[in-house]
Amino acid sequence: MNIQQFQDTLQLFSAASSVDEITELCRFHCQNLGFDNFVYALRIPTKFSEARVIIIKGYPDLWLERYWELGYHASDPVIAYCSQHVVPIQWHDLLLEKSSLSALVMNEAAEFGLRAGISMPMHSPRGELGILSFALNQERRSAAREISQHAMPYVQLLGGYVHEAVCRVFGVANPEDKLPLTLREQECLRWAADGKTSWEISQLLKLSERTVNFHLNNAMIKLDVSTRQHAIAKAVLRGLITPYPF
Amino acid sequence: MNIQQFQDTLQLFSAASSVDEITELCRFHCQNLGFDNFVYALRIPTKFSEARVIIIKGYPDLWLERYWELGYHASDPVIAYCSQHVVPIQWHDLLLEKSSLSALVMNEAAEFGLRAGISMPMHSPRGELGILSFALNQERRSAAREISQHAMPYVQLLGGYVHEAVCRVFGVANPEDKLPLTLREQECLRWAADGKTSWEISQLLKLSERTVNFHLNNAMIKLDVSTRQHAIAKAVLRGLITPYPF
DNA sequence: GGGGTAGCTGTCAAATCTAACAGGGTGTTT
DNA sequence: AAACACCCTGTTAGATTTGACAGCTACCCC
């Protein structure tokens, strides 16, 4: 299958209307590309410590169970890479420190047949992060590398379509609850996230300190939190505010 | 050039260290794909309703000037599409209402030789939006469609690499310089970001309240900030602390 | 006019955080 | 052994935030 034909099959994702259909399409492409397993995970920020996670399964169940039980997502180097980048990565290219938690996760994965692979990060406008991974149970590095290398462009293309399909099926794109915050609330929050105190913000926005507290309080109520810190974490994760404190 | 060779040339973007180099690479790919013009625009949110915009130019200067002067970005249907999607679009497929502002923009663009084209949106972790566009001065719809169709996968691949290159050159987000927060510092910060007070964190981690403040203070020093809020915003944006599930 | 939303301002007490002064301990590396 | 990183704990004073009590204007929609 050349890339042009491949491109045509991608249109099927736009028509898919259920998880099962998407799973089947992924499975098809997985085999087609010469991989053994696949998984797509979508993280949707909700509360700070309560992101919603949607998974399209094509991985060994035992591994997924173990993964969640032990909270491996926190040390998974693939997730760490994907949350910062926009181009795909071959697992072999990840920089791992010996006997780090990250290395442990990857080694255990290998025991479940996930020895080599490739992952494509997808970031969408509201901070959702989708990761499409294809894995290979292949001992020989060179062979694995060749397959991954060859699959790279296909995986990159697939990523976007799987991502849009999953978001559509689960009704993720929801512009309504994107900005529950008023203009002033966003402004105040942004400056607060920038380390400014109420008084400083009042000077910046030419308001009274009381008004700044008023807006920040309203923001906290809307975000259902009771401290500024929580409000900021939540707003940043949801993309409600984008401070630039660098 | 097949897709495999193409893939190899993409590595050049990782080495590019200046705007000029990136521009040249884009120009090369533009011609190679059979297009007449290209442009890459990166929007970095700063304050609410304010953004820093970086442009890699390969469009008629006159058009770009007019575009900015008249604030066309506000009605540009390509930007509207790109801010909501993650897969590329052929301009012909955009839904335009007759005599809308969007249609006006596209018509005027056509007068500058930008009659057909394709645009690839790139969203990165902190809300930056990059748009890579290739344009064609081609009257015949069918011919334009064919070229665009053929270029689609290449453009999608290019997008990520141009995006990462520009972000790197402009120092937009440098995940590399991860300030090493210690384990305790991360834990405390994570709970603080969840709205917990020092006392509550001390109970959660079975520490004294003083110790929690100690760790949070160290984290603030390392992040070079003077409030918890700023520390949390910075840490979340840099991916130094991860929300619980994932 | 009433009701809704958004914005603005005031005071006050209690809770919380920040910054400064201290003092311990462990473990690894040089 | 000394230097270093990480971890733990104490006190205090002052700044800041939080939550509660108030009040006001302006706009839009029904």
Side-chain angles (χ1 to χ4, degrees), chain B residues 182-184 207-208 210-211 214-215 222 229:
Chain B
T182 69
L183 206 86
R184 282 305 205 193
L207 300 172
S208 76
R210 173 65 186 92
T211 305
F214 169 78
H215 288 305
K222 285 184 184 173
Q229 296 142 50

Side-chain angles (χ1 to χ4, degrees), chain A residues 137-156:
Chain A
N137 191 359
Q138 170 63 262
E139 297 267 16
R140 290 207 354 266
R141 278 228 164 185
S142 58
R145 179 168 292 281
E146 200 183 317
I147 294 181
S148 299
Q149 194 82 44
H150 175 262
M152 196 78 123
Y154 295 91
V155 173
Q156 192 157 9

Side-chain angles (χ1 to χ4, degrees), chain A residues 39-43 53-55 57 59-83 91 94 101-110 112 114 119 129 131 133, chain B residues 242-246:
Chain A
V39 73
Y40 169 81
L42 174 65
R43 177 186 68 185
V53 176
I54 293 169
I55 296 199
K57 278 194 238 180
Y59 256 26
D61 281 337
L62 278 174
W63 169 241
L64 287 179
E65 278 168 32
R66 180 172 176 77
Y67 189 92
W68 284 112
E69 247 170 54
L70 301 182
Y72 277 176
H73 48 81
S75 6
D76 189 337
V78 172
I79 291 181
Y81 171 88
C82 287
S83 41
W91 298 354
L94 289 166
L101 275 174
S102 309
L104 173 73
V105 172
M106 296 309 278
N107 286 336
E108 285 205 13
F112 283 83
L114 312 166
S119 289
L129 168 61
I131 302 178
S133 299
Chain B
T242 337
Y244 169 63
F246 215 70

Side-chain angles (χ1 to χ4, degrees), chain B residues 205-219:
Chain B
L205 301 182
K206 301 194 198 321
L207 300 172
S208 76
E209 189 176 341
R210 173 65 186 92
T211 305
V212 173
N213 283 328
F214 169 78
H215 288 305
L216 284 171
N217 188 47
N218 287 341

Side-chain angles (χ1 to χ4, degrees), chain A residues 105-126:
Chain A
V105 172
M106 296 309 278
N107 286 336
E108 285 205 13
E111 290 172 26
F112 283 83
L114 312 166
R115 290 180 202 284
I118 182 172
S119 289
M120 170 71 197
M122 299 295 321
H123 298 269
S124 53
R126 289 173 199 79

Side-chain angles (χ1 to χ4, degrees), chain B residues 22-63:
Chain B
I22 298 175
T23 309
E24 267 320 300
L25 285 170
C26 288
R27 197 186 309 283
F28 166 75
H29 283 294
C30 177
Q31 290 179 348
N32 205 40
L33 292 171
F35 288 99
D36 300 314
N37 294 290
F38 74 91
V39 72
Y40 169 81
L42 174 64
R43 181 185 67 188
I44 305 155
T46 52
K47 292 186 202 177
F48 177 76
S49 78
E50 280 187 39
R52 182 180 169 206
V53 175
I54 294 169
I55 295 199
I56 304 293
K57 278 194 237 178
Y59 257 26
D61 282 338
L62 279 174
W63 168 241

